[in-house]
Amino acid sequence: MSHIPVVPPYDGFPPTGGPALRPTKGLAAAVTVLLYAVIAIDLFAFGADLTMWALLGNLATATAQEAKRADALYELAADLQGSILIATAVVFIIWFHRSRVNAEHYTRDVCTLGRGWAIGSWFVPIGNLWLPYRVAKETWQASAQSAPDGSRRTVSMTPVRAWWTLWVGSLAVSRLGAVLYTKHHKDELPDGLRQALSVIALSELLDIAAAALAILFVRKLTRMQQLPAVPYAAAHPSPQP
């Protein structure tokens, strides 16, 4: 009688009954490129904010050409930010949903929100301030690779928490800056506009930091999901003569 262990062929589906692991590397690369573009455009917007801020502090000697140039830069920065935000959001959410589905490949008892929330959570008023974070946190935890003895490893949540905290912070500061700018622009108060631009410039810096941490989050989670679930993470033993 043969004592060679019989190992079933790996068909992509783990013993837990979860879905087959789908690659996210290509999507992650696209998201990363777009996030770098976000950083570049935010830096451009930051420069436009400073240009406008300086102009408002020197209105007595500023020329019409300088004012026109500052306005053009400011409007261009706003248009670029709007365009890159839409493109990044679409690709990021596609990657985010696929990563959430992949989390079920590793375990089906960590994610308490259905996979559809990886998309829907972003469009819930007020709830979108924490629901996407909850999906991200559970996906991160579920995707942690098992140790050699089969136990789950503890993976630091710091990258997820830092990214989300800065992103929500940048949204709040940006909203405050927009409200102040609209108010003081209506009243035509240069000092008030400079104050509003200072707040908006701060939001650009926070958004740059959030985008950098988002890149870290995307790349780390993608690497975590490149290995299949145990027992398929280890190579199958070859038959012995």
Side-chain angles (χ1 to χ4, degrees):
M1 179 182 294
S2 172
H3 295 285
I4 299 175
V6 177
V7 180
Y10 174 42
D11 58 4
F13 295 88
T16 59
L21 193 63
R22 297 182 64 192
T24 57
K25 196 171 181 181
L27 282 170
V31 174
T32 299
V33 170
L34 287 169
L35 285 170
Y36 276 122
V38 168
I39 292 173
I41 292 173
D42 279 345
L43 286 171
F44 175 76
F46 181 74
D49 294 337
L50 294 183
T51 299
M52 182 67 76
W53 186 87
L55 176 74
L56 290 170
N58 196 27
L59 285 176
T61 58
T63 65
Q65 184 178 4
E66 290 174 336
K68 185 177 180 179
R69 177 177 176 273
D71 283 335
L73 282 175
Y74 193 79
E75 291 178 5
L76 177 60
D79 290 342
L80 289 174
Q81 284 181 312
S83 299
I84 196 63
L85 174 63
I86 294 173
T88 305
V90 170
V91 181
F92 181 90
I93 290 176
I94 294 173
W95 168 85
F96 194 60
H97 179 262
R98 183 174 294 187
S99 298
R100 166 60 185 82
V101 174
N102 276 348
E104 296 178 16
H105 174 85
Y106 300 101
T107 178
R108 308 194 78 176
D109 58 1
V110 172
C111 298
T112 58
L113 292 175
R115 59 176 67 173
W117 283 101
I119 299 174
S121 62
W122 298 94
F123 304 98
V124 179
I126 301 178
N128 55 17
L129 295 177
W130 74 84
L131 286 174
Y133 167 74
R134 181 173 166 183
V135 175
K137 179 182 71 171
E138 293 178 350
T139 300
W140 182 272
Q141 292 172 327
S143 303
Q145 296 299 313
S146 298
D149 61 359
S151 62
R152 303 298 296 177
R153 290 176 178 169
T154 300
V155 180
S156 174
M157 290 295 302
T158 300
V160 188
R161 292 184 183 127
W163 157 59
W164 192 255
T165 299
L166 278 176
W167 190 73
V168 171
S170 71
L171 289 179
V173 175
S174 177
R175 178 59 180 168
L176 175 61
V179 170
L180 290 174
Y181 189 86
T182 300
K183 175 185 176 182
H184 294 303
H185 188 271
K186 184 178 181 180
D187 297 336
E188 297 184 351
L189 298 175
D191 290 340
L193 285 173
R194 294 186 86 203
Q195 180 187 38
L197 284 168
S198 297
V199 176
I200 293 172
L202 174 60
S203 74
E204 317 285 13
L205 295 178
L206 289 174
D207 197 55
I208 289 170
L213 288 172
I215 291 172
L216 176 64
F217 166 67
V218 169
R219 296 180 66 177
K220 174 66 175 177
L221 181 56
T222 300
R223 286 197 300 269
M224 288 165 62
Q225 292 190 343
Q226 285 181 358
L227 295 176
V230 173
Y232 301 121
H236 292 169
S238 57
Q240 299 296 323

